[in-house]
Amino acid sequence: MELNTINKTGTWSEAADRLNNNFSKTSTEVEKVKQNGIRNKGLFSTLKLLEEAVPSPVVGDWAVVGDTIPGPIYECKTKGKWSPTGTTGGGGSVDLNGYLTAEEIDDVTSIL
């Protein structure tokens, strides 16, 4: 990424344009880094939409393709190529230990 030089001379308008352009370039690069750190690329209704959204996957990237979760999982096992894994998933789970149940909440509200 090549940033613009901010000149010491010139108008504020020219400097602001260069600064804004630099911020835009930096923001684009930060988003690329974020996406590279996230292996789960999301839910896509078709393989074509996945390939359009993430045309150059890296090994370890994965996504769910279909209209529901759980759905068929596709993974990048070879750089640049999406392949079906033959498994379904994508739902995840949440550990709710230590939280009140609906019955416990009803019981507490009845005594207030």
Side-chain angles (χ1 to χ4, degrees), residues 49-95:
L49 289 175
L50 169 60
E51 290 171 336
E52 288 173 0
V54 188
S56 302
V58 296
V59 174
D61 286 351
W62 65 278
V64 177
V65 176
D67 294 329
T68 61
I69 298 241
I73 296 177
Y74 280 69
E75 183 178 9
C76 176
K77 295 179 182 180
T78 304
K79 185 178 179 181
K81 184 176 180 200
W82 288 106
S83 303
T85 64
T87 60
T88 60
S93 63
V94 176
D95 181 5

